[in-house]
Amino acid sequence: MPPNYERGATLKRGRTMIRQDRQHAATPMITKKKQPTTAWVIYSKVITFWAPGVLLAKLGGMPDAGMQQAWREKCALVSLIMLVCGAVVYLTLFLPMTFCPESTSKHQSNILQVSTKGFDGNIGIYGNAYSTVNANWTSTLSFYTGFDASFMFGMDTPSECTDESIKSLRAISTGPCTTETGCTMGNFKDAESNFNLAKLDRPVGYDWADVKKMTGVFVINGIVVNLTPYLHSVTDNRANNDILDQAIFNAANNGYSDATVMFQRTNQMKKAAKCITKRYAAGVLAKDTPGCFSVNLFNYAALVVIGGIVLTRFFMAVVFQYFLSWQLVRRPPRSKVRPVSYNAAAPWSGKKPQTGGTKTVLPQGDMDELYTIMLVTCYSEGDEGIRATCDSLCGTDFSDSRKLLFLVADGNIKGSGNDRSTPDICVDLIEQDPQFLDPQPCSYIAVAAGSKQHNMAKIYCGHYVVGNHRTPAIVCIKCGTPEEQEFPKPGNRGKRDGQMILMNFFSRVIYNDRMTPMDYDVFRKIHHLMGVTPDTFEIILMVDADTKVYPDSLRLLVNCMNNDQLIMGLCGETKIANKRDSWVTAIQVFEYYISHHLAKAFESVFGGVTCLPGCFCMYRLKARKGDDWVPVLTKPEICQEYSQNVVETLHEKNLLLLGEDRFLTTLMLRNFPNRKMMFMPQAICKTVVPDEFKVLLSQRRRWINSTVHNLLELVLVRNLCGTFCLSMQFSIALDLVGTVALPVAIVLTYILIVRACMTTYNSITAYLPLAMLIMVLFLPAVLIFITTRKWIYVAWMFVYLAALPIWNFVLPVYAYWHFDDFSWGETRKVAGEGKDKGHGDADGKFDASSVPMKRWEDYERKRLRSIKRKERKQYADDSSSYLPANVDDSDNAGLLQNAVDG
C-alpha cells in the first residue's frame, strides 16, 4: 500500500480482477519492424479489388505504393463505419418492421379491450369497435365493453368463402343469419347510417381469460372468432365426414382457447380458417406477439442502457465537480509537501552555475511550488497572440523562482499577415542575458524522416518581464542546418518535435544519458537562469501560442499534483476567447463547454481522461515514489514511441501526424494504467478557435480521425480503472461506436422528432422514444445550471443544437473520407505556403555522426579545457591579466572534481 501522500481526493482505485494477464507491459503502438501481410491488409485489398494499382496511379494521382495502400485502408475503414452505421439504422428502424410489422403494432397499441365489468358505450361488430353513445336504437340486450354484436348484423359473403373446395362444408355454407334472432339490424355496412353508430377504427381486443370463459369463442392465427351463432343454428352436434365441423365442435366442447393447430392440418382446413376468421371474427388477441414482445423488450433494454449511461455520466460529472475536484485544487497540507527532488548521484549535483559573470538571484519559492517549465510552441502566430500567452503565463500567482518560460519557434517562417518572422517575434519578447547575446546553432536529433532528422537550434536566454514579474525565459529557435536554408521553412519539424526537445532533454538529464549539443546548451542556460540544475524540475505545462491562462490556473494545477502523487497528467477548462466573431465560433462555444464539464469530468472520476488538449495541459516529468522517484513523461519507452520518425501505415500516420496531443495521452494511459489523467474545472484558459468554416473543417478532420484511431488503441487496454459497464474500457468502447455512428445518429434524431410529432400517445411504450430524446438533448441544460449557473450557456446550447447537422454529419463524413489526408490543411497558414504535406516524408539519409552525443561531464571537461586555453592565450598576449574579465575562476575551481582529476 503506498504512503498516504500518494492518495488524493479522487476515487480510490483497487484491482478489479486478480489475473496475471491483466498486469502486462504495454505493447508499442508503432513499431519499426516490417509488418508481414496481415488480415487487415488483405481485407483492404479485397474491398478495393475494383481499383487496381495501375488505375490508381494513372487516374487517381497516386503513383506511390504507400499512397495506394493508404487509400485502400481508408476505403476499408469507411466500409466498417458504414457497417456500424447500418447496424444502428437496422436496430432503430427496421428491427420493429421485421419482427413486429406496422399492422400488428397498430392493432396492439390501438385496441378496444373487452371488459365484462362495465360498459363504456363501445361494442364490437365483426372485430371492429363501434360507439353506441348516439345510437338511435332500442335493445333489451345487456351490453358490456367490447360486446360482440356481430350476430345482430348480416354481412356479404366474404371472398375467402367462395372457394369451391370448401363450399361443401356446413360452416361455410351456413351463414350467421340463419337463426331467428340473428341479423335483425340488417347489413353491418349500413349500421352507421341506419342507427347512427360511430366506427372507431379500432379493433376489439380479447385477453386469454376472456376467451376461456366464453363458450364457442376461440383463437385462430391470433384472431378471436365467435362461433356461438353457428353452434345455436345447427340441430345436430356435427355433420358426418365434415372435418370443419369436427374441429369447431372439438374446440367448443373441450374448451380449447387456441385452435390454430386444428385448422392447419390440411390445405382445405387452411382455406376454411380464412373464411371462418372473416365471417365470425369477434376481435384480435390483445397479447403481444413474440416478435412484438421481443422488440418492446429490446426498446426497454436500450432505454435502460442509454438512459443509464447518460444519467450515470451526468451524476458522476456533477459529483466530481462539486466534491472531488475542490479537494484536489486546494493548497496541500504540510504532510503532502515533499522536498525538492533531484539526482544526488549526478556529476552536477551541488554545483553552482558555471557561466561566469554576475549571478542571478531569485527569491525562494514556497515549498509546495514544484519547479515547473512552461512550454509554448509557436508556428505562425503573431506578436499579439504570443505576447498575450506569455503575459498570462508569467503573470500567474506562482513564484518566478519556480517557473521557467520555454518558447519554441518551429522554423524560420513568417505567419500570414505578420510583419516579422516567428523567431524574431519570440526573441524580441525577452530581455536577453548579456552572457548569451549571440548564441550559435546547436545540433540535435529531430522528429523527422531522412536527412531532416538532423536539425539545429539557437538557444536564447533571459527574462520575460510583465508587471512585477521577472520570469526566467528560454527561446529555442529551430533554424535548420546550413543545407536547408535555401528551402522553404528551414528548421520546421512540427509541434511534436518541439515537445520532444524538452521530453528528450529531461529524460537524458534524469538518467544522466548522452546529450546532444543543444541539450547541453539548454542545460547550462537553465542552470544559469534558475540557480538549480534541470533535474529539479518535476512539472511541464504545455500551452499553445494563442492561449491565455487565468492567473490562478498554474497554482491550482500544481496543487493537484501535490495532493495526489498518482496524477500524471492534468488539463483545465478551455473557453473560447472569440465566441462572437462569427457563426462558426458561436457554434463551438457549447461544444467546448460540454466536452469538458460532461465528458472529461466523467472520465476524471476513473482517472482516465482520454485526451488532454495540447492548448492547455500539464504533465508530470517524474513522480515521487516513497523516498525515490520514477520517470513518467520522461520514461524512455514513451519518449521513444512518441518520437517515432518513420510512420508507414494509415493507422500510424493518423496517430502521429494529426493528433499528437491525443496520442500522447493514449501513450501515457497505456504505459501507466494505474496512474491518473484528470480534468480540473477550476483551472481555466481562453483560446482562439477557427472563425472560418474551411478552417474548422480542416481542424475537425484531424481531430475526428485522430480520435477514432486513438480510441481503437485505448479500447484494447485491459487494466484501466473500473469493471464491466462502470469501467473506462467500456466507456471508451461506447465513445468509439458513438463517434463512428455520428452521421446516422443525427438522421435518426430527426426521424425520431418527426415520429414524436405524429405518434398517438395512448400507452407508456409510446412515450419511450420521446423521453429518450428529451433526456439526451436537454439534460446538459441541467448541467449548465448546476455547474455554472450562467443562463447564457443555455442560449449557446440552442445555437449548438441548431448546428447539429454540421457537428454530427458534415464534419464526420468529411473526416472519414479523408482518412488518408495527413496534412494540417487550413489550420495554420504561412505566408506563401502551398498545401502542407506534414512532416512524415523522407528526404535523403540521416548521418548519425552529424549530431555528436556526449555525457554532461564530457561537455564540461571540454568547456573547461577551452577556458584554460583562452587563459593561456590571454596570458601570453597580456602578462598583466590572468583571466578574461568576464570569467570568475572561483566558480570553475572544483567543478568536476572526479572527472578532471581523472
Side-chain angles (χ1 to χ4, degrees):
M1 188 72 180
N4 291 332
Y5 63 80
E6 292 193 359
R7 292 287 182 187
T10 53
L11 295 181
K12 292 187 177 180
R13 175 176 298 173
R15 295 183 65 185
T16 57
M17 294 184 182
I18 302 176
R19 285 173 52 187
Q20 285 296 110
D21 59 348
R22 286 182 61 85
Q23 302 297 329
H24 56 83
T27 56
M29 289 184 283
I30 298 175
T31 175
K32 291 184 178 181
K33 295 181 180 179
K34 189 68 176 180
Q35 295 293 330
T37 301
T38 61
W40 171 248
V41 174
I42 296 174
Y43 173 74
S44 66
K45 291 183 178 180
V46 170
I47 208 74
T48 58
F49 72 95
W50 50 270
V54 176
L55 184 65
L56 294 178
K58 298 295 183 181
L59 301 180
M62 293 177 278
D64 181 68
M67 296 174 63
Q68 295 179 10
Q69 182 58 29
W71 182 85
R72 296 183 190 278
E73 292 185 23
K74 175 192 71 174
C75 293
L77 278 173
V78 171
S79 69
L80 294 180
I81 291 174
M82 292 176 64
L83 184 64
V84 173
C85 292
V88 173
V89 171
Y90 176 77
L91 292 176
T92 306
L93 297 181
F94 298 103
L95 182 67
M97 296 181 185
T98 304
F99 294 97
C100 186
E102 188 175 0
S103 57
T104 305
S105 178
K106 282 186 176 180
H107 278 291
Q108 300 302 333
S109 60
N110 195 33
I111 63 173
L112 172 67
Q113 182 68 43
V114 170
S115 175
T116 58
K117 296 182 180 180
F119 181 54
D120 61 357
N122 298 320
I123 62 172
I125 302 176
Y126 291 107
N128 292 314
Y130 288 82
S131 173
T132 63
V133 175
N134 298 317
N136 54 7
W137 68 7
T138 57
S139 177
T140 59
L141 296 176
S142 179
F143 291 145
Y144 54 84
T145 299
F147 175 82
D148 183 25
S150 304
F151 67 93
M152 300 170 60
F153 299 88
M155 71 178 302
D156 299 332
T157 302
S159 60
E160 289 84 354
C161 299
T162 59
D163 192 285
E164 293 295 334
S165 63
I166 61 174
K167 277 186 176 182
S168 60
L169 301 176
R170 186 170 64 173
I172 301 300
S173 60
T174 305
C177 298
T178 58
T179 62
E180 296 180 358
T181 58
C183 304
T184 58
M185 300 293 186
N187 196 294
F188 85 98
K189 293 182 179 179
D190 302 324
E192 295 183 63
S193 57
N194 294 341
F195 302 103
N196 201 25
L197 298 179
K199 190 175 181 180
L200 301 181
D201 196 23
R202 297 173 62 189
V204 178
Y206 286 77
D207 202 347
W208 283 115
D210 301 322
V211 175
K212 287 180 179 180
K213 65 185 179 183
M214 296 180 182
T215 304
V217 179
F218 48 86
V219 177
I220 302 176
N221 291 328
I223 299 175
V224 179
V225 294
N226 184 4
L227 284 158
T228 304
Y230 172 73
L231 295 173
H232 288 168
S233 67
V234 293
T235 55
D236 54 344
N237 287 340
R238 67 191 70 183
N240 294 328
N241 300 322
D242 193 324
I243 59 175
L244 179 58
D245 259 15
Q246 294 176 8
I248 293 173
F249 278 94
N250 280 338
N253 294 336
N254 296 318
Y256 294 156
S257 298
D258 191 350
T260 302
V261 176
M262 301 173 64
F263 285 82
Q264 302 296 320
R265 292 174 179 172
T266 64
N267 288 334
Q268 187 183 28
M269 287 295 289
K270 291 179 181 178
K271 294 178 180 179
K274 294 180 180 179
C275 175
I276 293 297
T277 54
K278 279 288 186 180
R279 175 171 281 176
Y280 295 100
V284 296
L285 191 64
K287 287 292 185 180
D288 284 345
T289 63
C292 292
F293 175 79
S294 301
V295 170
N296 288 334
L297 182 64
F298 175 80
N299 289 336
Y300 277 112
L303 177 67
V304 171
V305 172
I306 296 175
I309 291 171
V310 172
L311 291 175
T312 300
R313 288 194 172 202
F314 172 79
F315 286 113
M316 293 180 76
V318 171
V319 168
F320 173 77
Q321 296 194 73
Y322 262 75
F323 302 101
L324 302 180
S325 64
W326 286 105
Q327 298 181 45
L328 285 170
V329 297
R330 65 186 178 184
R331 204 76 180 252
R334 278 187 169 273
S335 60
K336 292 189 176 182
V337 177
R338 306 287 292 173
V340 174
S341 174
Y342 61 93
N343 188 357
W348 55 75
S349 177
K351 308 305 179 185
K352 297 179 181 179
Q354 306 300 321
T355 53
T358 306
K359 303 301 178 295
T360 303
V361 179
L362 294 174
Q364 183 68 28
D366 294 333
M367 288 300 296
D368 62 342
E369 293 181 328
L370 305 178
Y371 279 95
T372 303
I373 188 163
M374 303 177 296
L375 172 64
V376 181
T377 51
C378 310
Y379 179 56
S380 60
E381 297 81 5
D383 176 83
E384 183 179 353
I386 300 176
R387 186 180 297 274
T389 300
C390 296
D391 284 349
S392 65
L393 287 172
C394 298
T396 52
D397 54 356
F398 200 81
S399 300
D400 291 333
S401 61
R402 295 297 179 101
K403 63 186 178 185
L404 171 67
L405 179 65
F406 198 98
L407 289 172
V408 178
D410 191 13
N412 188 11
I413 59 176
K414 185 170 74 170
S416 180
N418 293 342
D419 57 351
R420 289 176 296 163
S421 66
T422 303
D424 292 339
I425 293 174
C426 293
V427 173
D428 292 343
L429 290 176
I430 66 172
E431 292 183 0
Q432 293 191 52
D433 192 286
Q435 302 298 323
F436 304 98
L437 288 177
D438 188 20
Q440 297 302 308
C442 298
S443 296
Y444 76 97
I445 301 176
V447 179
S451 61
K452 286 189 176 182
Q453 289 185 67
H454 179 202
N455 199 7
M456 303 186 78
K458 295 181 179 180
I459 308 299
Y460 294 83
C461 73
H463 291 82
Y464 189 94
V465 181
V466 54
N468 297 325
H469 293 272
R470 184 176 173 83
T471 306
I474 286 180
V475 177
C476 175
I477 306 297
K478 295 194 282 186
C479 56
T481 60
E483 292 77 12
E484 63 178 293
Q485 297 305 312
E486 58 184 17
F487 297 104
K489 303 191 297 184
N492 174 249
R493 300 293 188 272
K495 179 180 177 180
R496 185 161 54 99
D497 178 66
Q499 295 172 326
M500 285 307 306
I501 287 177
L502 280 181
M503 290 173 62
N504 280 328
F505 167 73
F506 281 108
S507 180
R508 290 161 182 160
V509 168
I510 288 176
Y511 287 98
N512 188 23
D513 203 353
R514 294 184 305 160
M515 298 179 176
T516 64
M518 188 199 68
D519 291 333
Y520 175 70
D521 200 21
V522 172
F523 187 104
R524 289 187 63 224
K525 290 170 182 177
I526 290 179
H527 196 186
H528 168 72
L529 290 173
M530 302 296 296
V532 294
T533 51
D535 58 332
T536 58
F537 283 84
E538 298 185 40
I539 305 296
I540 181 171
L541 176 68
M542 298 182 182
V543 179
D544 281 349
D546 52 5
T547 302
K548 294 175 62 177
V549 303
Y550 280 31
D552 60 346
S553 295
L554 178 57
R555 178 174 293 277
L556 292 175
L557 293 179
V558 173
N559 286 348
C560 296
M561 292 289 193
N562 272 319
N563 283 315
D564 191 348
Q565 294 295 318
L566 288 178
I567 294 178
M568 60 179 173
L570 281 167
C571 71
E573 179 186 359
T574 301
K575 294 185 176 181
I576 296 178
N578 57 333
K579 58 173 69 78
R580 292 182 174 87
D581 282 6
S582 68
W583 69 270
V584 177
T585 60
I587 65 175
Q588 299 178 65
V589 176
F590 185 75
E591 193 267 343
Y592 267 74
Y593 169 83
I594 205 68
S595 67
H596 285 85
H597 288 273
L598 185 59
K600 285 183 170 58
F602 164 74
E603 292 172 341
S604 294
V605 176
F606 295 98
V609 175
T610 55
C611 179
L612 298 189
C615 66
F616 182 48
C617 62
M618 176 178 284
Y619 288 98
R620 196 186 291 274
L621 296 172
K622 56 183 180 180
R624 297 185 178 98
K625 189 174 183 180
D627 295 330
D628 204 351
W629 51 262
V630 292
V632 182
L633 185 66
T634 55
K635 186 179 180 181
E637 289 83 355
I638 291 179
C639 292
Q640 181 180 0
E641 194 162 0
Y642 192 57
S643 62
Q644 286 289 342
N645 52 8
V646 178
V647 285
E648 297 179 349
T649 67
L650 178 139
H651 179 60
E652 293 173 351
K653 290 186 177 182
N654 275 277
L655 288 174
L656 280 169
L657 302 183
L658 298 185
E660 63 282 330
D661 307 326
R662 184 177 281 274
F663 179 62
L664 181 58
T665 309
T666 302
L667 270 179
M668 299 290 282
L669 287 172
R670 283 172 58 91
N671 282 272
F672 299 100
N674 294 321
R675 290 191 176 271
K676 303 174 186 177
M677 304 289 272
M678 304 292 291
F679 158 67
M680 287 299 118
Q682 294 80 8
I684 302 173
C685 77
K686 283 191 174 183
T687 191
V688 177
V689 299
D691 57 358
E692 296 181 13
F693 184 70
K694 64 177 182 179
V695 183
L696 177 67
L697 194 67
S698 176
Q699 181 196 67
R700 296 302 167 135
R701 168 184 61 80
R702 296 186 294 106
W703 288 9
I704 292 173
N705 291 349
S706 172
T707 297
V708 171
H709 287 267
N710 277 276
L711 291 180
L712 284 170
E713 291 289 345
L714 278 178
V715 78
L716 302 177
V717 181
R718 292 176 295 173
N719 354 10
L720 294 175
C721 182
T723 181
F724 194 51
C725 290
L726 288 177
S727 68
M728 273 306 301
Q729 193 172 19
F730 180 76
S731 176
I732 290 168
L734 288 180
D735 288 341
L736 178 60
V737 174
T739 301
V740 300
L742 279 176
V744 298
I746 185 62
V747 176
L748 294 177
T749 299
Y750 285 113
I751 292 176
L752 189 60
I753 293 175
V754 173
R755 284 189 172 183
C757 297
M758 300 174 61
T759 301
T760 302
Y761 296 98
N762 52 16
S763 66
I764 297 178
T765 307
Y767 285 97
L768 295 182
L770 182 63
M772 190 182 304
L773 179 66
I774 294 174
M775 181 171 57
V776 172
L777 292 182
F778 296 103
L779 194 60
V782 181
L783 182 66
I784 291 172
F785 175 74
I786 294 177
T787 56
T788 66
R789 299 182 182 177
K790 294 180 180 179
W791 292 106
I792 186 62
Y793 274 96
V794 177
W796 291 121
M797 181 186 74
F798 283 106
V799 174
Y800 170 79
L801 292 178
L804 272 182
I806 294 177
W807 288 113
N808 289 8
F809 189 83
V810 177
L811 296 179
V813 170
Y814 177 81
Y816 297 153
W817 189 243
H818 288 80
F819 267 130
D820 57 343
D821 184 357
F822 313 116
S823 69
W824 275 55
E826 300 288 335
T827 306
R828 285 186 172 90
K829 297 295 290 182
V830 175
E833 181 186 22
K835 181 176 176 61
D836 176 34
K837 297 183 180 179
H839 304 279
D841 298 331
D843 182 18
K845 294 184 178 180
F846 171 60
D847 181 11
S849 62
S850 60
V851 184
M853 301 287 290
K854 301 178 183 179
R855 295 189 183 277
W856 178 86
E857 51 266 37
D858 297 328
Y859 281 111
E860 276 293 303
R861 185 181 295 111
K862 181 179 178 181
R863 188 178 69 87
L864 287 177
R865 289 172 179 171
S866 177
I867 291 176
K868 291 182 178 180
R869 283 196 299 269
K870 290 180 180 179
E871 291 175 352
R872 288 193 293 267
K873 183 178 179 181
Q874 181 71 16
Y875 181 78
D877 293 342
D878 184 3
S879 58
S880 61
S881 176
Y882 177 70
L883 287 174
N886 64 339
V887 177
D888 185 357
D889 191 50
S890 62
D891 285 337
N892 294 330
L895 174 63
L896 293 170
Q897 297 174 359
N898 297 328
V900 176
D901 292 344

